[in-house]
Amino acid sequence: QKEVEQNSGPLSVPEGAIASLNCTYSDRGSQSFFWYRQYSGKSPELIMFIYSNGDKEDGRFTAQLNKASQYVSLLIRDSQPSDSATYLCAVRMDSSYKLIFGSGTRLLVRP
Amino acid sequence: KAGVTQTPRYLIKTRGQQVTLSCSPISGHRSVSWYQQTPGQGLQFLFEYFSETQRNKGNFPGRFSGRQFSNSRSEMNVSTLELGDSALYLCASRVRAGPDTGELFFGEGSRLTVL
């Protein structure tokens, strides 16, 4: 079992829809959770981080964390074609600050 | 505020050679991490440096090494290059002080091709 799992996609949604990206992790002691966006040929850029159960909203983005289910998700409201990218889920599993990344979900937003 | 700067951006080497990659973190960031990204394995942690000391190391062979200087700049070295070392090498920095939850800020990467 991989430490951080994501569906590779592609997840295809129409412009204006809500895109829902999911991530599960194996270590119950995981402390912090991150969503990065990576455009083709570019480096990952941080979208959001969350470390408490519940929802955290930032503009069109909402991160949701459920530690009991070992599940973290990212919702993108009013999806735009410019949101088309690979979304990487990353988990900090211990005090070392090493991040474990999932393989990423490719999102395609159709105009 | 300047971001994380990596040099060189692209390089081509042949098997058996060695390579050194450089990373300058965001000003004020004292921790530098290195990751390898390949299509098959995704992003994999190589090592992290803080205050010129290696704090964490991933599951890579000893051919992969690094160091950090007093100004927080970091270098990584790969010796005896193999074809499988072809990858995007990403450097990331973070504050590692105060209310630091661990978020990383990545550079543009150094794309290494081994022939």
Side-chain angles (χ1 to χ4, degrees), chain B residues 52-113:
Chain B
E52 303 175 64
T53 302
Q54 187 181 92
R55 301 294 175 150
N56 294 287
K57 190 177 191 305
N59 296 322
F60 279 82
R63 300 185 296 108
F64 292 81
S65 63
R67 58 178 175 169
Q68 186 180 34
F69 302 96
S70 58
N71 61 358
S72 295
R73 192 177 70 84
S74 176
E75 289 180 347
M76 69 162 282
N77 184 278
V78 187
S79 62
T80 319
L81 284 166
E82 301 177 0
L83 294 178
D85 297 333
S86 295
L88 180 66
Y89 290 88
L90 291 161
C91 170
S93 73
R94 61 184 180 85
V95 176
R96 211 178 197 248
D100 175 20
T101 57
E103 60 266 39
L104 297 175
F105 297 89
F106 285 88
E108 290 296 317
S110 293
R111 184 165 295 281
L112 170 65
T113 301

Side-chain angles (χ1 to χ4, degrees), chain A residues 78-97:
Chain A
D78 188 25
S79 295
Q80 301 298 309
S82 58
D83 294 326
S84 298
T86 296
Y87 289 80
L88 299 164
C89 171
V91 177
R92 179 165 72 90
M93 294 187 172
D94 54 35
S95 60
S96 72
Y97 293 97

Side-chain angles (χ1 to χ4, degrees), chain A residues 36 38 43 96-99, chain B residues 35 37 45 56 94 104 107:
Chain A
Y36 284 84
Q38 186 173 26
S43 62
S96 72
Y97 293 97
K98 177 178 73 173
L99 294 190
Chain B
Y35 287 78
Q37 187 173 33
F45 173 77
N56 294 287
R94 61 184 180 85
L104 297 175

Side-chain angles (χ1 to χ4, degrees), chain A residues 5-102:
Chain A
E5 297 213 45
Q6 296 180 257
N7 188 314
S8 61
L11 172 66
S12 181
V13 300
E15 184 174 355
I18 295 176
S20 177
L21 304 161
N22 304 315
C23 172
T24 58
Y25 58 94
S26 60
D27 187 344
R28 285 194 172 276
S30 298
Q31 300 182 14
S32 306
F33 307 85
F34 305 84
W35 283 101
Y36 284 84
R37 176 177 62 199
Q38 186 173 26
Y39 291 111
S40 180
K42 298 293 186 180
S43 62
E45 55 178 331
L46 180 68
I47 299 175
M48 294 186 70
F49 66 88
I50 186 169
Y51 45 87
S52 300
N53 271 331
D55 295 359
K56 180 180 179 181
E57 187 174 318
D58 184 0
R60 296 187 296 113
F61 299 94
T62 299
Q64 299 175 316
L65 175 61
N66 184 324
K67 288 188 176 181
S69 300
Q70 295 175 237
Y71 176 95
V72 58
S73 65
L74 179 70
L75 302 178
I76 306 175
R77 289 182 300 281
D78 188 25
S79 295
Q80 301 298 309
S82 58
D83 294 326
S84 298
T86 296
Y87 289 80
L88 299 164
C89 171
V91 177
R92 179 165 72 90
M93 294 187 172
D94 54 35
S95 60
S96 72
Y97 293 97
K98 177 178 73 173
L99 294 190
I100 305 298
F101 283 83

